[in-house]
Amino acid sequence: MQGREMKAEADQLTSQIIATYSVGATVQTVLDRLLAKITSEEYPLNTRLPSERALASELGVARNTVREALDVLEARKVINRRPGSGSFVTYRSDDVPERGESSVAMETSPLDHLVVRGILEPEMVRLAVINMTPREVWDLEQLMSKIESVHTDVAAFVKCEEEIYRKIAEGTHNRLLASCYNLTIEACRVSFRTTLLRRHLSPKRILEYQQRYNALFNAIASRDVERAVEFIKLHLVEEQKLFLQD
């Protein structure tokens, strides 16, 4: 009976992941194998997983395939990656699905995420241009300098992006809008986007993103509403292209 319960638990978790993430058949096979080991506690809580190389050898797949599967597990909070240390199991068999904002973020599809960003971000930027104080503009400039110092570290780049968007949302001085956008950031963190960026964010593309954000900042700092809104719309188009090409 216990074996059946573990299999049912693994199947349920797999179904939740499939509903949220679009992955290839080989990646899905790796996910199935890893989830089975985690939910059966062959890899119990806080256990360090074998290295990507070891898993690739064991499962007979490429390291990139293993890395993509681990990306999904990390986004779903089944594992936690620690730079220089490895990947550790954070999944608990007695975990109760969270309700409220975190649950909504996890259940948001890639398309829904892009749709909401398309609705919120242009208006958010417009209000920020109008309402940001000189101090807030200065704070945003410091964040721009911070993201410009990132060249290859995808995790650091994504974290800087979150800080920039959060600062712009705060700059609207509309607490409801900022609260809504915080949920969008959370959905972005646990959704497909980080996985996409790990695959596609080359140093060249990082530079392109940095140039876009710099142009956006210049428009905000000069209080040019029309130009700032146009920049964020163009950036959203590029984000959609990234999603569609995957």
Side-chain angles (χ1 to χ4, degrees):
M1 179 64 71
Q2 187 176 8
R4 290 181 181 178
E5 290 176 352
M6 287 180 176
K7 184 178 186 305
E9 187 176 1
D11 290 345
Q12 181 182 18
L13 186 56
T14 301
S15 297
Q16 291 172 348
I17 288 176
I18 291 173
T20 308
Y21 305 94
S22 176
V23 296
T26 307
V27 175
Q28 187 59 58
T29 299
V30 174
L31 280 170
D32 290 342
R33 296 279 296 276
L34 291 176
L35 285 169
K37 289 176 180 288
I38 290 170
T39 55
S40 68
E41 297 189 348
E42 182 176 339
Y43 295 148
L45 180 66
N46 296 324
T47 296
R48 182 182 183 276
L49 296 182
S51 67
E52 290 180 2
R53 187 186 300 277
L55 286 172
S57 177
E58 176 187 343
L59 300 173
V61 297
R63 284 186 65 182
N64 284 345
T65 301
V66 171
R67 186 174 299 119
E68 186 173 347
L70 294 177
D71 286 341
V72 174
L73 293 179
E74 182 180 34
R76 197 63 178 79
K77 299 183 180 179
V78 175
I79 64 170
N80 178 42
R81 280 167 162 157
R82 302 174 192 170
S85 298
S87 300
F88 293 81
V89 176
T90 55
Y91 173 78
R92 297 174 181 271
S93 60
D94 58 349
D95 277 347
V96 177
E98 297 179 3
R99 298 183 180 273
E101 292 187 357
S102 294
S103 177
V104 171
M106 286 186 179
E107 295 168 5
T108 298
S109 71
L111 179 58
D112 285 346
H113 181 259
L114 285 171
V115 168
V116 171
R117 287 185 63 194
I119 294 170
L120 289 181
E121 289 182 11
E123 181 62 14
M124 183 176 79
V125 166
R126 187 186 74 81
L127 289 175
V129 172
I130 295 170
N131 294 326
M132 287 186 92
T133 66
R135 174 58 195 232
E136 287 172 329
V137 173
W138 185 87
D139 288 342
L140 183 59
E141 184 176 16
Q142 305 315 301
L143 293 176
M144 292 296 175
S145 297
K146 185 176 178 181
I147 201 170
E148 286 177 356
S149 69
V150 179
H151 303 293
T152 58
D153 189 333
V154 175
F157 186 84
V158 171
K159 184 177 180 181
C160 287
E161 274 193 321
E162 287 184 9
E163 293 174 346
I164 287 170
Y165 279 110
R166 201 182 301 278
K167 179 58 65 176
I168 292 173
E170 291 172 358
T172 65
H173 295 187
N174 184 313
R175 294 182 63 184
L176 179 57
L177 191 155
S179 179
C180 290
Y181 198 75
N182 279 337
L183 179 55
T184 304
I185 291 175
E186 176 67 14
C188 186
R189 183 184 300 124
V190 302
S191 77
F192 70 105
R193 187 173 182 273
T194 300
T195 301
L196 280 181
L197 288 179
R198 285 186 188 278
R199 291 202 296 270
H200 298 297
L201 204 56
S202 63
K204 179 181 178 181
R205 181 159 277 162
I206 284 178
L207 179 60
E208 291 173 355
Y209 271 73
Q210 289 168 336
Q211 290 170 342
R212 288 183 216 157
Y213 289 135
N214 188 56
L216 175 62
F217 169 75
N218 288 336
I220 292 174
S222 62
R223 306 293 181 177
D224 190 330
V225 174
E226 184 176 347
R227 192 155 58 101
V229 171
E230 184 64 23
F231 275 129
I232 199 64
K233 286 181 177 179
L234 289 174
H235 181 64
L236 285 167
V237 169
E238 293 302 318
E239 290 277 89
Q240 291 166 2
K241 288 179 181 178
L242 181 65
F243 169 60
L244 292 173
Q245 79 177 55
D246 192 67

